[in-house]
């Protein structure tokens, strides 16, 4: 057999999605790959049932059905604080996954440098390889996930063509402040670089934090390519509806990439999703209330059982610090991946090993998500209590105190 491309030899399958398969094989509670276990709003499922009979069942316009883009433009215009042209400033994609891939392929030549924060959502690594870009990693340092602006300037000085910002950030839960984004934006303008954002968790930002769209900042729309999707906002991760928003000349390039990658997102699903885009503002505030409750319940549960965690400002992810476990004789020398596999089998809860997000050799963090029904979260916490039970009482108490201190800070 002839060789496969060198490209495919340089990255692995997604560890996030692999953990889901292992979790399913063992019947564990899957808190690894982030997606809700509850239904989308009735407005969407009703519209989907209607579309099953009324259509459309054939291709939509390659860069998105007219009515879907019109509804999308109305929603995105509010976020961006400017009127988005549905014909020239939007391109509908198969999930934000394709949006990010298309963005990278649109702006990068092989060998171009791109700034990527570490930890990063693991797709960005493969996106860079597939588009030929060379990532320069900017550490987001746990547990606060702060960064050093000087490293970003260094990166731009080395000629980086773009910076990728996941905001709110997966897996750290960091929400970039307006000041941080303004400072990064100023550097992007100074060094004439693009900003590519992934804002799929824009509606999951917990008080007192607020979401700022990079493209809404003065002078930034012109160089910002926003990747987003309907997956998280409307609990429809399986519908694979995403989009790119940006200045017309960039979107024109992205439309070509997209056209030849996938032709288009599923037509009946675009039709049905219009009903979601037209939901009143109260939908988004209720979604935030729901996720705030889940976050508060789950974090309080982790505090109670004495597991050390960070405090996410946004997203539905939380990082557990497993350092104390890795010091126990039975886990000594174990990788975080092996620990997660052990946890699936012995504790019945699936997490994602932190090493799949970090460029640095980080082995002591694992990611859980809380986009689960209350009863599932309750059961997950009962199981995690068995995990915590392996720690000495004093350590658990210390964790509870440290967690509480950070949550109240
Ligand atoms: N963003 C989700 C996560 O990080 C999963 C998205 C996906 O698997 N496409 O878990």
């Amino acid at each position: 057999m002839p060789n496969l491309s060198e490209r495919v030899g340089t990255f692995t399958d997604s560890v996030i999605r692999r953990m889901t398969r292992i979790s399913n094989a063992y019947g564990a509670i899957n808190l690894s790959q982030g997606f809700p276990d509850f239904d989308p709003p009735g407005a969407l499922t009703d519209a989907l049932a209607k579309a099953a009979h009324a259509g459309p069942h054939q291709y939509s316009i390659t860069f998105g059905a007219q009515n879907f883009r019109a509804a999308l433009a109305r929603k995105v215009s509010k976020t961006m604080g400017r009127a988005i042209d549905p014909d020239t400033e939007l391109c509908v994609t198969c999930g934000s996954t394709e949006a990010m891939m298309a963005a990278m392929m649109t702006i990068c030549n092989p060998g171009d440098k791109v700034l990527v924060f570490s930890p990063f959502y693991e797709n960005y690594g493969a996106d860079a390889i597939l588009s030929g870009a060379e990532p320069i990693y900017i550490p987001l340092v746990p547990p606060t996930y702060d960064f050093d602006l000087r490293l970003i300037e260094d990166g731009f000085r080395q000629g980086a063509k773009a910076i990728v910002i996941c905001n709110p950030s997966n897996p750290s839960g960091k929400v970039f402040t307006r000041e941080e984004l303004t400072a990064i934006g100023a550097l992007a303008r100074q060094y004439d670089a693009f900003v590519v954002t992934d804002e799929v968790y824009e509606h999951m930002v917990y008080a007192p934090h607020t979401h700022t769209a990079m493209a809404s900042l003065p002078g930034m729309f012109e160089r910002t390519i926003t990747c987003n999707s309907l997956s998280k906002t409307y609990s429809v991760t399986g519908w694979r509806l995403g989009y790119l928003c940006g200045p017309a000349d960039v979107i024109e390039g992205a439309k070509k990439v997209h056209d030849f990658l996938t032709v288009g997102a599923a037509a009946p699903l675009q039709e049905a999703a219009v009903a979601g885009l037209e939901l009143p503002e109260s939908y988004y505030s209720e979604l935030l209330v729901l996720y705030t409750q889940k976050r508060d319940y789950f974090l309080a549960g982790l505090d109670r059982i004495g597991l050390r965690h960070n405090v996410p400002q946004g997203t539905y992810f939380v990082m557990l610090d497993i350092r104390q476990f890795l010091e126990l004789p039975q886990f000594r020398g174990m990788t975080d991946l092996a620990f997660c596999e052990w946890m699936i089998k012995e504790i019945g809860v699936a997490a994602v090993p932190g090493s799949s997000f970090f460029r640095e050799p980080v082995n002591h963090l694992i990611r859980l998500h809380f986009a689960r029904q209350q009863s599932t979260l309750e059961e997950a916490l009962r199981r995690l209590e068995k995990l915590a039970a392996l720690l000495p009482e004093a350590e658990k108490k210390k964790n509870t105190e440290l967690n509480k201190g950070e949550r109240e800070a």
Side-chain angles (χ1 to χ4, degrees), residues 8-53:
V8 295
T10 54
F11 59 100
T12 68
D13 63 322
S14 153
V15 177
I16 297 176
R17 298 181 274 279
R18 196 192 309 163
M19 295 320 285
T20 282
R21 296 194 294 275
I22 304 176
S23 178
N24 290 348
Y26 287 92
I29 295 180
N30 186 5
L31 304 187
S32 61
Q33 185 183 18
F35 59 89
D37 66 347
F38 39 89
D39 287 334
L44 277 91
T45 45
D46 289 349
L48 182 60
K50 217 167 118 203
H53 297 286

Short mmCIF file of all heavy atoms in Angstrom, two decimals, residues 8-53:
data_model
loop_
_atom_site.label_atom_id
_atom_site.label_comp_id
_atom_site.label_asym_id
_atom_site.label_seq_id
_atom_site.Cartn_x
_atom_site.Cartn_y
_atom_site.Cartn_z
N VAL A 8 -1.15 13.57 7.93
CA VAL A 8 -1.99 12.82 8.88
C VAL A 8 -1.16 12.12 9.95
O VAL A 8 -1.69 11.72 10.99
CB VAL A 8 -2.94 11.78 8.23
CG1 VAL A 8 -3.97 12.44 7.36
CG2 VAL A 8 -2.18 10.71 7.47
N GLY A 9 0.16 12.00 9.68
CA GLY A 9 1.01 11.39 10.70
C GLY A 9 1.38 12.36 11.81
O GLY A 9 1.94 11.96 12.82
N THR A 10 1.03 13.65 11.64
CA THR A 10 1.52 14.64 12.60
C THR A 10 0.50 15.04 13.67
O THR A 10 0.77 15.88 14.50
CB THR A 10 1.99 15.92 11.88
OG1 THR A 10 0.91 16.39 11.07
CG2 THR A 10 3.21 15.66 11.02
N PHE A 11 -0.68 14.47 13.63
CA PHE A 11 -1.60 14.73 14.74
C PHE A 11 -2.45 13.49 15.01
O PHE A 11 -2.55 12.61 14.17
CB PHE A 11 -2.48 15.97 14.48
CG PHE A 11 -3.33 15.91 13.24
CD1 PHE A 11 -4.67 15.57 13.32
CD2 PHE A 11 -2.79 16.20 12.00
CE1 PHE A 11 -5.46 15.53 12.18
CE2 PHE A 11 -3.57 16.15 10.84
CZ PHE A 11 -4.91 15.82 10.94
N THR A 12 -2.99 13.43 16.23
CA THR A 12 -3.79 12.26 16.60
C THR A 12 -5.27 12.60 16.41
O THR A 12 -5.61 13.75 16.10
CB THR A 12 -3.60 11.90 18.09
OG1 THR A 12 -4.18 12.96 18.88
CG2 THR A 12 -2.12 11.74 18.45
N ASP A 13 -6.12 11.63 16.59
CA ASP A 13 -7.55 11.93 16.60
C ASP A 13 -7.82 12.80 17.83
O ASP A 13 -6.96 12.94 18.70
CB ASP A 13 -8.36 10.63 16.68
CG ASP A 13 -8.10 9.85 17.96
OD1 ASP A 13 -6.93 9.83 18.40
OD2 ASP A 13 -9.03 9.28 18.53
N SER A 14 -9.01 13.37 17.91
CA SER A 14 -9.34 14.25 19.03
C SER A 14 -9.47 13.42 20.31
O SER A 14 -10.23 12.45 20.37
CB SER A 14 -10.66 14.95 18.72
OG SER A 14 -11.32 15.30 19.92
N VAL A 15 -8.71 13.81 21.33
CA VAL A 15 -8.79 13.10 22.61
C VAL A 15 -10.16 13.36 23.26
O VAL A 15 -10.74 12.47 23.89
CB VAL A 15 -7.64 13.53 23.55
CG1 VAL A 15 -7.76 12.85 24.91
CG2 VAL A 15 -6.29 13.19 22.91
N ILE A 16 -10.68 14.57 23.05
CA ILE A 16 -12.01 14.90 23.60
C ILE A 16 -13.04 13.89 23.10
O ILE A 16 -13.79 13.29 23.86
CB ILE A 16 -12.47 16.32 23.17
CG1 ILE A 16 -11.53 17.40 23.73
CG2 ILE A 16 -13.91 16.58 23.60
CD1 ILE A 16 -11.88 18.82 23.26
N ARG A 17 -13.03 13.69 21.79
CA ARG A 17 -14.06 12.81 21.21
C ARG A 17 -13.74 11.34 21.47
O ARG A 17 -14.64 10.51 21.58
CB ARG A 17 -14.24 13.17 19.74
CG ARG A 17 -14.73 14.64 19.65
CD ARG A 17 -14.99 15.18 18.29
NE ARG A 17 -13.87 15.75 17.57
CZ ARG A 17 -13.38 16.99 17.74
NH1 ARG A 17 -13.90 17.80 18.64
NH2 ARG A 17 -12.38 17.43 17.01
N ARG A 18 -12.44 11.02 21.62
CA ARG A 18 -12.06 9.65 21.98
C ARG A 18 -12.60 9.32 23.39
O ARG A 18 -13.09 8.22 23.64
CB ARG A 18 -10.54 9.51 21.98
CG ARG A 18 -10.09 8.06 21.95
CD ARG A 18 -8.60 7.92 22.24
NE ARG A 18 -7.75 8.77 21.42
CZ ARG A 18 -6.47 9.05 21.71
NH1 ARG A 18 -5.90 8.53 22.78
NH2 ARG A 18 -5.77 9.85 20.93
N MET A 19 -12.54 10.30 24.30
CA MET A 19 -13.01 10.04 25.66
C MET A 19 -14.51 9.72 25.67
O MET A 19 -14.97 8.90 26.46
CB MET A 19 -12.72 11.24 26.59
CG MET A 19 -11.25 11.54 26.83
SD MET A 19 -10.15 10.13 27.06
CE MET A 19 -10.56 9.59 28.71
N THR A 20 -15.26 10.37 24.78
CA THR A 20 -16.69 10.05 24.67
C THR A 20 -16.88 8.58 24.28
O THR A 20 -17.72 7.87 24.84
CB THR A 20 -17.37 10.97 23.63
OG1 THR A 20 -17.59 12.25 24.23
CG2 THR A 20 -18.72 10.44 23.17
N ARG A 21 -16.07 8.11 23.34
CA ARG A 21 -16.23 6.71 22.90
C ARG A 21 -15.88 5.75 24.04
O ARG A 21 -16.57 4.75 24.25
CB ARG A 21 -15.35 6.44 21.66
CG ARG A 21 -15.78 7.26 20.44
CD ARG A 21 -15.14 6.75 19.15
NE ARG A 21 -13.69 6.90 19.10
CZ ARG A 21 -13.04 8.00 18.70
NH1 ARG A 21 -13.72 9.08 18.36
NH2 ARG A 21 -11.73 8.04 18.66
N ILE A 22 -14.82 6.06 24.78
CA ILE A 22 -14.45 5.17 25.90
C ILE A 22 -15.53 5.23 26.97
O ILE A 22 -15.94 4.21 27.53
CB ILE A 22 -13.06 5.56 26.49
CG1 ILE A 22 -11.98 5.56 25.41
CG2 ILE A 22 -12.67 4.60 27.62
CD1 ILE A 22 -10.61 6.02 25.88
N SER A 23 -16.02 6.43 27.23
CA SER A 23 -17.09 6.60 28.23
C SER A 23 -18.31 5.76 27.84
O SER A 23 -18.88 5.05 28.67
CB SER A 23 -17.46 8.09 28.33
OG SER A 23 -18.51 8.27 29.24
N ASN A 24 -18.69 5.84 26.58
CA ASN A 24 -19.85 5.05 26.11
C ASN A 24 -19.60 3.56 26.28
O ASN A 24 -20.49 2.81 26.70
CB ASN A 24 -20.15 5.34 24.64
CG ASN A 24 -20.69 6.75 24.44
OD1 ASN A 24 -21.06 7.44 25.39
ND2 ASN A 24 -20.72 7.20 23.19
N ALA A 25 -18.37 3.13 25.99
CA ALA A 25 -18.06 1.70 26.07
C ALA A 25 -18.21 1.18 27.50
O ALA A 25 -18.57 0.03 27.71
CB ALA A 25 -16.64 1.44 25.56
N TYR A 26 -17.95 2.04 28.48
CA TYR A 26 -18.04 1.61 29.89
C TYR A 26 -19.31 2.10 30.58
O TYR A 26 -19.47 1.91 31.78
CB TYR A 26 -16.79 2.07 30.66
CG TYR A 26 -15.57 1.26 30.29
CD1 TYR A 26 -14.72 1.68 29.26
CD2 TYR A 26 -15.28 0.06 30.94
CE1 TYR A 26 -13.61 0.94 28.90
CE2 TYR A 26 -14.17 -0.69 30.59
CZ TYR A 26 -13.33 -0.24 29.56
OH TYR A 26 -12.24 -0.99 29.20
N GLY A 27 -20.16 2.79 29.84
CA GLY A 27 -21.42 3.28 30.44
C GLY A 27 -21.18 4.30 31.54
O GLY A 27 -21.95 4.37 32.52
N ALA A 28 -20.12 5.10 31.43
CA ALA A 28 -19.84 6.11 32.45
C ALA A 28 -20.69 7.35 32.22
O ALA A 28 -21.33 7.50 31.18
CB ALA A 28 -18.36 6.48 32.41
N ILE A 29 -20.72 8.24 33.21
CA ILE A 29 -21.34 9.55 33.02
C ILE A 29 -20.34 10.39 32.24
O ILE A 29 -19.20 10.59 32.69
CB ILE A 29 -21.69 10.21 34.37
CG1 ILE A 29 -22.75 9.38 35.10
CG2 ILE A 29 -22.17 11.64 34.16
CD1 ILE A 29 -23.16 9.94 36.45
N ASN A 30 -20.76 10.85 31.08
CA ASN A 30 -19.80 11.52 30.19
C ASN A 30 -19.72 13.02 30.46
O ASN A 30 -20.55 13.79 29.99
CB ASN A 30 -20.19 11.25 28.74
CG ASN A 30 -19.15 11.79 27.77
OD1 ASN A 30 -18.10 12.29 28.19
ND2 ASN A 30 -19.44 11.70 26.48
N LEU A 31 -18.72 13.42 31.22
CA LEU A 31 -18.48 14.85 31.45
C LEU A 31 -17.21 15.25 30.68
O LEU A 31 -16.52 16.18 31.06
CB LEU A 31 -18.34 15.16 32.94
CG LEU A 31 -19.50 14.73 33.85
CD1 LEU A 31 -19.30 15.25 35.28
CD2 LEU A 31 -20.85 15.21 33.34
N SER A 32 -16.91 14.51 29.61
CA SER A 32 -15.71 14.83 28.82
C SER A 32 -16.07 15.77 27.67
O SER A 32 -15.96 16.99 27.81
CB SER A 32 -15.01 13.56 28.35
OG SER A 32 -15.85 12.78 27.52
N GLN A 33 -16.51 15.22 26.54
CA GLN A 33 -16.86 16.08 25.40
C GLN A 33 -18.05 16.96 25.79
O GLN A 33 -19.07 16.46 26.26
CB GLN A 33 -17.22 15.21 24.20
CG GLN A 33 -17.48 15.98 22.92
CD GLN A 33 -17.91 15.07 21.78
OE1 GLN A 33 -18.32 13.93 22.00
NE2 GLN A 33 -17.80 15.57 20.57
N GLY A 34 -17.91 18.26 25.57
CA GLY A 34 -18.93 19.18 26.05
C GLY A 34 -20.12 19.28 25.13
O GLY A 34 -20.03 19.82 24.04
N PHE A 35 -21.24 18.73 25.57
CA PHE A 35 -22.52 18.92 24.86
C PHE A 35 -23.63 18.62 25.85
O PHE A 35 -23.44 17.83 26.77
CB PHE A 35 -22.62 18.02 23.62
CG PHE A 35 -22.51 16.55 23.91
CD1 PHE A 35 -23.65 15.80 24.21
CD2 PHE A 35 -21.28 15.91 23.91
CE1 PHE A 35 -23.55 14.44 24.50
CE2 PHE A 35 -21.18 14.54 24.19
CZ PHE A 35 -22.31 13.81 24.49
N PRO A 36 -24.78 19.28 25.71
CA PRO A 36 -25.85 19.09 26.69
C PRO A 36 -26.55 17.73 26.53
O PRO A 36 -26.56 17.17 25.43
CB PRO A 36 -26.82 20.23 26.40
CG PRO A 36 -26.50 20.72 25.05
CD PRO A 36 -25.10 20.31 24.71
N ASP A 37 -27.12 17.23 27.62
CA ASP A 37 -27.91 15.99 27.53
C ASP A 37 -29.40 16.33 27.61
O ASP A 37 -30.21 15.48 27.90
CB ASP A 37 -27.52 15.01 28.64
CG ASP A 37 -27.86 15.51 30.03
OD1 ASP A 37 -28.18 16.72 30.18
OD2 ASP A 37 -27.82 14.71 30.99
N PHE A 38 -29.72 17.61 27.37
CA PHE A 38 -31.14 17.99 27.37
C PHE A 38 -31.52 18.51 25.97
O PHE A 38 -30.64 18.78 25.15
CB PHE A 38 -31.46 19.03 28.45
CG PHE A 38 -30.40 20.08 28.64
CD1 PHE A 38 -30.41 21.24 27.91
CD2 PHE A 38 -29.36 19.88 29.57
CE1 PHE A 38 -29.44 22.20 28.08
CE2 PHE A 38 -28.38 20.85 29.75
CZ PHE A 38 -28.42 22.01 29.00
N ASP A 39 -32.85 18.60 25.73
CA ASP A 39 -33.34 18.90 24.39
C ASP A 39 -33.19 20.37 24.03
O ASP A 39 -33.19 21.23 24.91
CB ASP A 39 -34.82 18.51 24.28
CG ASP A 39 -34.98 17.00 24.23
OD1 ASP A 39 -34.03 16.33 23.78
OD2 ASP A 39 -36.05 16.51 24.65
N PRO A 40 -33.11 20.64 22.73
CA PRO A 40 -33.15 22.04 22.29
C PRO A 40 -34.53 22.64 22.57
O PRO A 40 -35.48 21.90 22.86
CB PRO A 40 -32.89 21.94 20.78
CG PRO A 40 -33.00 20.52 20.41
CD PRO A 40 -32.96 19.69 21.64
N PRO A 41 -34.66 23.98 22.47
CA PRO A 41 -35.97 24.61 22.67
C PRO A 41 -37.01 24.03 21.71
O PRO A 41 -36.69 23.67 20.57
CB PRO A 41 -35.71 26.08 22.33
CG PRO A 41 -34.23 26.27 22.39
CD PRO A 41 -33.60 24.94 22.14
N GLY A 42 -38.25 23.92 22.19
CA GLY A 42 -39.36 23.37 21.38
C GLY A 42 -39.51 24.08 20.05
O GLY A 42 -39.88 23.46 19.05
N ALA A 43 -39.23 25.38 20.03
CA ALA A 43 -39.39 26.14 18.78
C ALA A 43 -38.53 25.51 17.68
O ALA A 43 -38.95 25.45 16.51
CB ALA A 43 -38.98 27.59 19.00
N LEU A 44 -37.35 25.01 18.04
CA LEU A 44 -36.47 24.43 17.03
C LEU A 44 -36.93 23.04 16.61
O LEU A 44 -36.93 22.71 15.42
CB LEU A 44 -35.03 24.36 17.56
CG LEU A 44 -34.23 25.64 17.41
CD1 LEU A 44 -34.37 26.49 18.65
CD2 LEU A 44 -32.77 25.36 17.11
N THR A 45 -37.32 22.23 17.60
CA THR A 45 -37.72 20.86 17.23
C THR A 45 -39.05 20.87 16.45
O THR A 45 -39.23 20.09 15.51
CB THR A 45 -37.81 19.95 18.48
OG1 THR A 45 -38.49 20.63 19.53
CG2 THR A 45 -36.43 19.57 18.97
N ASP A 46 -39.95 21.81 16.81
CA ASP A 46 -41.20 21.94 16.04
C ASP A 46 -40.89 22.33 14.59
O ASP A 46 -41.43 21.77 13.64
CB ASP A 46 -42.13 23.01 16.65
CG ASP A 46 -42.73 22.54 17.97
OD1 ASP A 46 -42.61 21.33 18.28
OD2 ASP A 46 -43.31 23.37 18.70
N ALA A 47 -40.00 23.31 14.46
CA ALA A 47 -39.64 23.78 13.12
C ALA A 47 -38.94 22.68 12.32
O ALA A 47 -39.10 22.58 11.11
CB ALA A 47 -38.75 25.01 13.22
N LEU A 48 -38.20 21.83 13.03
CA LEU A 48 -37.50 20.72 12.35
C LEU A 48 -38.52 19.71 11.83
O LEU A 48 -38.40 19.21 10.70
CB LEU A 48 -36.51 20.05 13.30
CG LEU A 48 -35.69 18.91 12.73
CD1 LEU A 48 -34.83 19.37 11.55
CD2 LEU A 48 -34.79 18.30 13.81
N ALA A 49 -39.54 19.43 12.66
CA ALA A 49 -40.59 18.49 12.23
C ALA A 49 -41.29 19.04 10.98
O ALA A 49 -41.56 18.30 10.03
CB ALA A 49 -41.59 18.28 13.37
N LYS A 50 -41.54 20.34 11.00
CA LYS A 50 -42.19 20.98 9.85
C LYS A 50 -41.30 20.88 8.60
O LYS A 50 -41.77 20.53 7.51
CB LYS A 50 -42.48 22.45 10.18
CG LYS A 50 -43.78 22.94 9.61
CD LYS A 50 -44.17 24.27 10.22
CE LYS A 50 -44.23 25.32 9.13
NZ LYS A 50 -44.09 26.68 9.64
N ALA A 51 -40.02 21.14 8.81
CA ALA A 51 -39.09 21.12 7.67
C ALA A 51 -38.97 19.71 7.09
O ALA A 51 -38.71 19.55 5.89
CB ALA A 51 -37.72 21.64 8.09
N ALA A 52 -39.20 18.69 7.93
CA ALA A 52 -39.11 17.31 7.43
C ALA A 52 -40.12 17.09 6.31
O ALA A 52 -39.84 16.36 5.36
CB ALA A 52 -39.36 16.33 8.57
N HIS A 53 -41.28 17.73 6.44
CA HIS A 53 -42.32 17.55 5.41
C HIS A 53 -42.28 18.63 4.34
O HIS A 53 -42.44 18.35 3.16
CB HIS A 53 -43.70 17.50 6.08
CG HIS A 53 -43.81 16.32 6.99
ND1 HIS A 53 -43.95 15.03 6.52
CD2 HIS A 53 -43.76 16.22 8.34
CE1 HIS A 53 -43.98 14.19 7.54
NE2 HIS A 53 -43.86 14.88 8.66
#
